[in-house]
Amino acid sequence: MTPIIRRMRPGEEAELTALLAAAYGHARFGPTVLRLAGMADAAIHVLEAEGALRAAAAVVDYGRAAYLGIVGTDPAMQGRGFGRRIVEAALAPVPAGRVILLDASPSGAPLYETLGFVDVDASVVLEAKGPVEAPPVPGLAPMAEADLPAVAAYDAAVFGADRTAGLTALFREHPAGMLCRRDGRVTGYGLRHPDRIGPVLAEDQDTAAALVAALSALAPAGPMTITVPSSHAAMLDHLRRREVPELRRLRHMRRGGDRHPSDRGRIAAMASFHLG
Ligand SMILES: CC(C)(COP(=O)(O)OP(=O)(O)OC[C@H]1O[C@@H](n2cnc3c(N)ncnc32)[C@H](O)[C@@H]1OP(=O)(O)O)[C@@H](O)C(=O)NCCC(=O)NCCS
């Protein structure tokens, strides 16, 4: 039977979540799939063969940059070209010349290299078992929904593209964040999910460390991952000195565009591997 490649349909979220759980070997994709399905700037492509979803990939097109994520093939059907075909289909609608970003796992990297992606730096996943202490800085306060426009504007200046939809979705799923303002100007912000810290963007390392400390002290207590660009050496060094262990690192890659849109040296923690 010839595989069909198409956009995911409403009602297929659970099947896609199960496919990604099988491909990646863990079952935490439910919120990600629902978030992407609800974002107007995201498109999820699926490959259907023998009556079931066998591969998937999503692109969030921010306008100035696009992000490729949730690339996965049913483990029973890998090595048949499904991964290549679904990635090509997901990238096809992205206008020529637009910079495309991704974070490659060891199994995905060879495919992306042949599609013209080149290394930028690493995205380092660490896991804190509890609060990561650091001195507080002036102007730090809990974030409210009303802060989202100011946060999204600051984020756009550092990330290099407008992530309003994704940041709003993240905050509404779990409204826990910290904002730092000095002289009325945003100098940093961060979001916390039950099992994750990020994004964290800040003007300087003291602010970034204070944000991570405050976010890591929020409920619920327990292990939380934080993904730090290797370009942010100060945050990696800070976490190592506090004995926060490294779990793994992915290859942050890009294709197209004249330059990387983000100031990765001011991104102390990424939002996710599908939002950047
Ligand atoms: C990455 C993944 C989607 C590839 O899916 P797939 O359907 O097996 O991919 P394809 O059959 O199209 O193979 C793509 C290319 O990658 C190569 N490749 C695939 N797995 C590889 C591996 N483990 N090591 C080296 N090369 C590999 C293939 O040789 C192929 O190259 P070719 O087209 O020049 O022959 C699949 O391995 C997967 O789901 N991995 C787990 C989830 C994951 O890590 N996703 C990527 C996140 S960035």
Side-chain angles (χ1 to χ4, degrees):
M1 190 192 284
T2 313
I4 300 164
I5 295 183
R6 56 172 173 79
R7 293 281 292 269
M8 188 190 81
R9 298 185 189 120
E12 290 182 325
E13 293 85 356
E15 188 180 354
L16 175 57
T17 300
L19 167 68
L20 294 171
Y24 284 82
H26 65 82
R28 276 181 267 119
F29 285 94
T32 302
V33 169
L34 293 179
R35 188 180 309 133
L36 285 168
M39 284 170 56
D41 44 7
I44 303 175
H45 279 79
V46 293
L47 181 149
E48 186 183 333
E50 295 170 20
L53 302 187
R54 305 299 185 179
V59 167
V60 183
D61 191 345
Y62 292 117
R64 283 181 57 195
Y67 225 99
L68 176 70
I70 63 162
V71 175
T73 299
D74 178 348
M77 303 223 165
Q78 290 180 4
R80 301 184 188 191
F82 288 0
R84 177 176 298 277
R85 292 178 61 182
I86 198 70
V87 167
E88 285 174 347
L91 295 180
V94 179
R98 179 159 301 168
V99 56
I100 302 167
L101 306 171
L102 59 80
D103 298 281
S105 68
S107 68
L111 170 61
Y112 304 131
E113 280 174 354
T114 65
L115 291 172
F117 284 84
V118 295
D119 285 283
V120 175
D121 61 7
S123 298
V124 185
V125 185
L126 304 102
E127 187 179 59
K129 301 276 183 273
V132 184
E133 287 174 13
V137 294
L140 200 63
M143 205 181 119
E145 170 121 10
D147 295 319
L148 275 169
V151 161
Y154 175 75
D155 185 89
V158 178
F159 181 77
D162 183 356
R163 295 198 289 180
T164 300
L167 296 177
T168 302
L170 280 178
F171 188 74
R172 289 192 177 151
E173 283 164 37
H174 190 77
M178 297 296 297
L179 178 60
C180 192
R181 274 199 172 98
R182 258 168 252 154
D183 305 324
R185 210 169 55 87
V186 174
T187 54
Y189 85 96
L191 298 183
R192 167 76 196 271
H193 267 215
D195 60 352
R196 199 172 73 235
I197 295 171
V200 178
L201 280 63
E203 291 305 286
D204 54 75
Q205 172 57 14
D206 287 350
T207 305
L211 284 164
V212 168
L215 293 165
S216 63
L218 296 175
M224 54 205 117
T225 57
I226 175 166
T227 302
V228 182
S230 59
S231 298
H232 204 303
M235 179 53 75
L236 273 185
D237 186 50
H238 170 72
L239 295 173
R240 283 195 192 116
R241 277 190 279 113
R242 276 153 189 77
E243 294 177 354
V244 177
E246 183 176 322
L247 295 185
R248 60 184 184 281
R249 37 180 74 206
L250 288 92
R251 287 167 61 183
H252 185 67
M253 304 178 93
R254 88 170 166 109
R255 188 179 88 178
D258 301 332
R259 59 178 194 89
H260 197 289
S262 309
D263 181 355
R264 299 258 295 172
R266 281 193 289 164
I267 299 178
M270 293 175 58
S272 73
F273 292 132
H274 58 281
L275 296 177

